Amino acid sequence: MALHTALRRRNLEFHLLLRCLSAASAVATASPSAILSPSNPSAILTAKQKSRAALSLLKSETDPSRIVDICRAAALTSASHLDRVALSSAISKLSSSLCFSAIRSLVDDLLLSSKDHNPRFLSHAIVLFGQAGMLDDALRAFRSSPSCSSLNSLLFACILSKNHSELAKIFRDYPTTYGVTPNLETYNIVIRSFAESGTTRSFYSVFEEMRKRNFKPNTTTFCNTLEGFYRELRFDEVERVLELMKKHDCHPGLTTCNVRIQALCKIGRSEQAKDLFREMVKSGMKPSWVTYNHLITGFCKEGNLNEAKRLYKEMRSKGCVAESGVYFTLIHYLCKDGDFEAALGVCEDTMARNWVPCFAIMEMPVNGLASSSKVGEAKDLIKKVKERFPKGSEMWKEVEDGMQ
Ligand SMILES: *[C@@H]1O[C@H](CO)[C@@H](O)[C@H](O)[C@H]1NC(C)=O
Ligand SMILES: *[C@@H]1O[C@H](CO)[C@@H](O)[C@H](O)[C@H]1NC(C)=O
C-alpha cells in the first residue's frame, strides 16, 4: 500500500519535472523575446536547477526511454560539472541495459552535432563512449577532429572499456597516422593502463622514451606506477620507483603517501599501511582525512572494526573532517558487525555536521537498535532524521510500524 502511494507520487513528480525541464530547454533555444516574456514564468529553471533536477530524476530512474527523455529534456551538455555527472550516470545506466543505439544517438545529438565544434564536448563524448564500451564510436569521434586532447580522451576511453591492447595500438600508431604530438598526460594515461592491466613493468621503457623526448615526469607518473606494482605485489619494484622519484626531483609527499596507503589497503594489507602511516607521522608529515579514509575503509573491509574505530576517534581528535562517505562506510560495517551502539555514535556525529545518511544506510542502525531492545534509541534516531528531512517521513512509516 505504502509502496503504491510512493510509486504513484514518483510518477507524478517525474511528469511534472519533465514538463519543467522541457519548458526550460525550449526557453533556452527560443528567441530572445520568448526568453524575456515566457508564456509560463513559473516553468523557468536556471541552468543549474535544470541540471540538478535532471540528476535527481536520473538517480532513481531505470527505464531506458525515460532516461533518454530526461537527458534530452534537460539538454545536457558537457558545459558544467553537474551536466557531466548527470550524463555519465545516464550513460552507465543505458549501457548496463545494453541500449547502445540510444547512447549513440544521445551522445551524437547532445555533444557532437553542435555547429561550433567544442573540443571539450568532443573529449567528453569520447570518454562517454569508452565508459559504455563503445570504442568504435569513440574512434569515430576522435577521427572527426584529431588533437592531443582528443587522443588523450581516446586512450582514457580504452582504459574505461578495459581494452588495453587497443590502447597500446593507438598509442603506437596514432601520433604518426594523425600527426598528433603526445604530451605528459598521454604518457601518464599509458602508464595507468599498464598498471591496470598487470603489465606495470612496461613503465620502464615508456619512461625511457619520455626522457629521450624531454618530458619531465610528475607525481602522477610515479603514483600510477606505484599503484600498479603494489597491485602486482612487486614490493621490490615499489622501492625502485621511490628511488627513481627522488632522482627526478619528485620527492614523495602526502599525495604519494596516500596513494601507497590506499594501494596497501586495497590488497588487504592494512597493517602494513598503518606502519607506513606511522612512519609518515614520525617524519613530520601531517595525515589528511584522505589518509584516514583509506585506513578506516581498509580495516573495515578486513573485519578489524576495533582498529577502524580507533582510527576514527584519532581522526576526530585531530579535528580532521572527512567526506561523508567515510562516515557512511563506517556505519555500514559497524552494523554488519552488530555494533549498533558504535554505529549510533557515528550517526550522531554525521548529523551534527548536517549530513544525514540516506534511508538505505540509516535503516540498518535503526533496525539493529530496535532488534537489540533499544527501541527508544531507534525511535530517537528516526525522529532526528525526520526533523532534518521532513520530506522523507513517509519512508520511515513502515519501519516505525514494525516497531510497535
Ligand atoms: C578492443 O577494441 C577494438 C576496437 O573497437 C576491438 O576490435 C577489439 O575486439 C577490442 N578488444 C577487446 C579485448 O575488447
Ligand atoms: C601531472 O601532469 C599532468 C599533465 O599535465 C596533469 O594532468 C596532472 O595533474 C599532473 N599531476 C600532478 C600531481 O600535478
Side-chain angles (χ1 to χ4, degrees):
M1 198 54 198
L3 185 67
H4 245 103
T5 319
L7 278 179
R8 212 170 42 230
R9 201 171 53 208
R10 255 207 66 68
N11 238 336
L12 191 65
E13 261 172 26
F14 175 82
H15 286 293
L16 277 175
L17 268 159
L18 209 55
R19 212 181 309 152
C20 279
L21 284 171
S22 309
S25 61
V27 165
T29 54
S31 64
S33 68
I35 298 171
L36 291 171
S37 52
S39 49
N40 178 7
S42 67
I44 304 174
L45 299 177
T46 66
K48 207 165 179 179
Q49 283 172 327
K50 173 200 70 145
S51 311
R52 277 237 172 81
L55 193 56
S56 114
L57 277 175
L58 285 169
K59 213 169 245 169
S60 48
E61 192 52 70
T62 51
D63 180 65
S65 65
R66 281 184 173 199
I67 291 171
V68 170
D69 285 349
I70 295 167
C71 294
R72 288 190 188 275
L76 297 176
T77 65
S78 313
S80 75
H81 175 70
L82 271 179
D83 270 26
R84 287 194 295 275
V85 173
L87 263 179
S88 169
S89 141
I91 297 302
S92 70
K93 284 180 181 207
L94 289 172
S95 97
S96 51
S97 313
L98 310 177
C99 300
F100 300 114
S101 60
I103 294 176
R104 187 172 299 122
S105 59
L106 198 58
V107 174
D108 280 2
D109 293 348
L110 294 179
L111 302 180
L112 296 175
S113 64
S114 68
K115 284 176 281 313
D116 45 327
H117 230 69
N118 187 328
R120 223 162 123 202
F121 287 17
L122 173 66
S123 285
H124 192 214
I126 294 173
V127 170
L128 288 174
F129 282 134
Q131 195 189 318
M134 298 165 70
L135 270 193
D136 288 335
D137 287 277
L139 286 165
R140 168 176 63 89
F142 165 80
R143 287 194 196 108
S144 74
S145 179
S147 70
C148 180
S149 104
S150 59
L151 175 69
N152 290 345
S153 300
L154 184 60
L155 294 171
F156 189 59
C158 291
I159 293 187
L160 289 177
S161 65
K162 300 192 168 55
N163 193 331
H164 298 281
S165 57
E166 190 68 16
L167 179 142
K169 216 165 86 194
I170 291 171
F171 176 59
R172 192 187 58 221
D173 299 339
Y174 279 31
T176 319
T177 311
Y178 293 96
V180 174
T181 312
N183 62 9
L184 176 58
E185 197 184 343
T186 317
Y187 287 101
N188 285 352
I189 296 171
V190 169
I191 291 168
R192 180 154 162 202
S193 159
F194 295 153
E196 293 201 6
S197 58
T199 56
T200 312
R201 275 203 61 85
S202 307
F203 156 75
Y204 293 110
S205 60
V206 166
F207 190 67
E208 265 317 297
E209 187 186 321
M210 283 174 76
R211 297 197 351 126
K212 269 192 217 135
R213 294 178 158 212
N214 273 328
F215 280 110
K216 196 171 152 41
N218 69 3
T219 309
T220 307
T221 318
F222 292 112
C223 282
N224 288 349
T225 314
L226 287 170
E227 274 186 69
F229 280 136
Y230 273 118
R231 203 174 301 172
E232 293 164 31
L233 309 177
R234 295 296 308 264
F235 301 109
D236 49 340
E237 296 290 352
V238 165
E239 293 307 320
R240 210 173 140 198
V241 173
L242 288 170
E243 284 307 312
L244 207 57
M245 278 183 89
K246 287 183 201 149
K247 221 174 101 188
H248 287 86
D249 262 352
C250 229
H251 291 275
L254 181 61
T255 307
T256 311
C257 271
N258 283 345
V259 164
R260 295 178 65 195
I261 285 173
Q262 180 180 32
L264 282 165
C265 290
K266 272 192 181 162
I267 54 171
R269 293 180 183 237
S270 302
E271 275 302 334
Q272 215 171 315
K274 205 177 83 184
D275 291 342
L276 187 59
F277 168 79
R278 283 212 196 93
E279 253 175 63
M280 163 184 172
V281 174
K282 215 154 95 194
S283 73
M285 214 184 282
K286 218 176 136 207
S288 63
W289 71 265
V290 177
T291 324
Y292 283 105
N293 175 25
H294 297 323
L295 287 167
I296 290 172
T297 309
F299 279 112
C300 278
K301 288 197 171 146
E302 283 174 43
N304 189 344
L305 273 306
N306 278 334
E307 192 54 42
K309 278 192 283 188
R310 200 195 59 73
L311 283 158
Y312 175 69
K313 232 175 167 173
E314 185 181 310
M315 177 181 84
R316 291 193 66 212
S317 73
K318 296 224 163 123
C320 272
V321 177
E323 226 173 37
S324 52
V326 185
Y327 297 84
F328 302 162
T329 302
L330 192 54
I331 293 170
H332 174 82
Y333 281 98
L334 285 170
C335 286
K336 254 178 94 176
D337 198 46
D339 192 348
F340 299 110
E341 295 240 26
L344 178 62
V346 183
C347 285
E348 281 169 350
D349 291 347
T350 66
M351 286 194 232
R353 302 218 162 269
N354 249 332
W355 293 326
V356 182
C358 67
F359 179 76
I361 292 172
M362 287 303 269
E363 203 184 2
M364 247 167 115
V366 165
N367 284 332
L369 285 166
S371 67
S372 50
S373 52
K374 294 200 171 65
V375 176
E377 277 99 329
K379 285 189 172 166
D380 256 9
L381 203 53
I382 295 180
K383 201 171 131 229
K384 281 183 199 153
V385 177
K386 278 183 170 175
E387 274 166 17
R388 287 255 197 272
F389 283 136
K391 267 206 217 144
S393 295
E394 271 284 304
M395 292 201 282
W396 287 104
K397 203 170 169 333
E398 210 173 307
V399 176
E400 283 182 298
D401 286 350
M403 258 182 235
Q404 303 307 324

